[in-house]
Amino acid sequence: MSGSGPGILLAHGASGDIPNNFGALIPLLGRDHTVVAPSYPADDTPLQLDRLADALVESAVGAGVETFTVVGYSLGTAVAVRAAARHPARVRGLVLAAGFAKADNRLRLLVQLWQDALDRGDLDGFARLALTTGFGTDFVNALPPEAFPALVSQVAAAVPAGTRAQAGLIAEADTTGDLASITVPTLVVNATADLLVSPADSRFLAESIRGSEYAELPVGHVLMAEQPEQWHDVVTGFLARHGR
């Protein structure tokens, strides 16, 4: 926990963690907010969305933060929506970035490839798949070819424990039935060059949550790496507008 002020609860993505999903954003949020940043379980016990959402809410309440805006990224958007549906007295706002309500066929196939690579112990293969689908085409093609061996090694060395279980939850999570019940201020951030989660999924979230705000960034899935300043501005601007 860091900072002081209105509560912020962070929900990270699968195969990610708090530092690489939110590391640069946390100090900005901490200027005016109390930030609670829990990690998902670090093992491959199958995850259930309700339990994960409840555990994140309990981590905030246990830290003395009674109400909060949930900032969710990727899988964290499903966690955030379910937290809002199950704990409406706690959740005061939502930011849903590069998210989905239910995985489409392509996303399910991709996370099965993640799991296959992890089952083989092929972390380099996992890293190549992550780099290929996690970043936008223009971003990847602008990198010098000689950079890729080091990037693959870096990603392979940093695969968090619990990634396989998180991939399984991506394939199973479904918050479509929750969306109509969401009444808190909500911002949906669409990464329009996303090759992992379809940009259509963010549009669906925005269309299904009454009164939600919608923003687009012309980036791939790992939006905080491709356009960090724009990502920070859209989140902090939303929070400022709504006093969250």
Side-chain angles (χ1 to χ4, degrees), residues 197-212:
V197 176
S198 172
D201 290 333
S202 284
R203 293 192 292 270
F204 177 79
L205 289 171
E207 292 163 0
S208 301
I209 298 174
R210 288 194 311 274
S212 63

Side-chain angles (χ1 to χ4, degrees), residues 20 23 90 95 115-116 120 130 139 143 230 242-243:
N20 63 37
R90 301 285 187 192
V95 177
Q115 292 176 315
D116 290 347
R120 295 193 305 270
F139 183 85
L143 297 172
Q230 292 87 337
H242 292 278

Side-chain angles (χ1 to χ4, degrees), residues 113-123 126 159 163-164 167:
L113 290 175
W114 285 13
Q115 292 176 315
D116 290 347
L118 294 171
D119 289 344
R120 295 193 305 270
D122 182 10
L123 294 181
F126 177 93
V159 178
T163 292
R164 194 187 191 287

Side-chain angles (χ1 to χ4, degrees), residues 1-9 25-36 63-68 92 239 243-244:
M1 188 171 71
S2 62
S4 63
I8 298 286
L9 176 62
L25 181 62
I26 289 174
L28 301 178
L29 296 176
R31 295 173 183 172
D32 303 300
H33 300 84
T34 300
V35 183
V36 182
V65 181
E66 299 290 334
T67 61
F68 37 81
R92 301 176 63 245
L239 295 172
R244 295 295 189 261

